[in-house]
Amino acid sequence: MSRPTDEVEYEQMLLGRHDLAHHRGGRHKYALMDRSAYILLSRIRIQGPMSNGELSAAFGLDASTLNRQTAAATRAGLAERIADPDGGMARKFRITDQGAALLDQERERVVRALDQVMNDWPEEDIATFAGYLKRFNSGIEHLSRQPWPRPRQRAEQGPLSPPPGSPDR
């Protein structure tokens, strides 16, 4: 007998194989940045400057993997190392203006692709689906004890707004 979670598992597996946003498996010819940079910059934007240790803990990745990702983002001019704004000893990474602009462009590209996929969906279905995805992700984050901060939604300002006081405001 098939359980509903069997269907969720299968559909989640299929979702992972789609290349809708051209992020999976590295840089695609239309992508402005690779998947790891997209996720890294998204986290820094929403949380503010973060050290390698904070990023390593947030992503559940070892320091060497995080060092490679932050070095690549820094070389590409998407992030920069700064002194800890709170006066701590560790240097932190923050998103650059160029990184913020490319992240906004990439996110808009992804949203346009999603608009095409869901072009015949009623708005309330899209909102319900988004709520279920958030609930699903929040459940995973709860189990892993690695919560991911959520941006504030502001309809009057467009897509995703960084938190007040962040360098991207």
Side-chain angles (χ1 to χ4, degrees):
M1 172 175 244
S2 179
R3 300 173 301 166
T5 50
D6 290 331
E7 290 183 50
V8 171
E9 177 278 329
Y10 194 80
E11 293 301 327
Q12 187 270 339
M13 178 272 301
L14 291 176
L15 183 62
R17 80 170 173 78
H18 291 299
D19 195 16
L20 176 69
H22 307 296
H23 291 298
R24 311 266 192 248
R27 191 174 175 93
H28 184 275
K29 67 179 180 175
Y30 300 114
L32 299 172
M33 63 183 65
D34 67 29
R35 182 175 184 265
S36 63
Y38 185 76
I39 296 169
L40 178 75
L41 294 179
S42 293
R43 181 64 184 249
I44 293 171
R45 168 177 267 176
I46 203 67
Q47 193 161 340
M50 298 176 73
S51 68
N52 257 342
E54 291 168 329
L55 288 165
S56 180
F59 286 98
L61 296 173
D62 62 78
S64 64
T65 300
L66 231 303
N67 281 335
R68 283 193 301 277
Q69 291 181 3
T70 55
T74 302
R75 276 192 310 275
L78 304 175
E80 62 187 349
R81 290 187 76 147
I82 61 167
D84 184 345
D86 298 323
M89 296 296 291
R91 309 245 322 140
K92 295 198 172 192
F93 291 92
R94 80 170 166 205
I95 190 170
T96 62
D97 290 342
Q98 176 188 355
L102 284 175
L103 181 60
D104 289 343
Q105 290 172 25
E106 189 71 352
R107 182 163 279 130
E108 182 55 34
R109 214 174 55 72
V110 173
V111 170
R112 281 194 311 269
L114 290 169
D115 284 340
Q116 290 177 340
V117 170
M118 297 183 282
N119 71 347
D120 60 345
W121 291 31
E123 286 290 320
E124 59 270 7
D125 285 0
I126 297 170
T128 299
F129 182 63
Y132 284 140
L133 281 175
K134 181 178 180 181
R135 185 175 170 188
F136 182 78
N137 278 325
S138 294
I140 293 169
E141 293 162 15
H142 177 75
L143 287 175
S144 69
R145 293 185 167 89
Q146 291 184 307
W148 193 274
R150 300 296 193 283
R152 294 181 308 135
Q153 288 289 351
R154 299 178 75 183
E156 70 276 6
Q157 283 192 334
L160 300 176
S161 301
S166 77
D168 298 326
R169 294 269 332 167

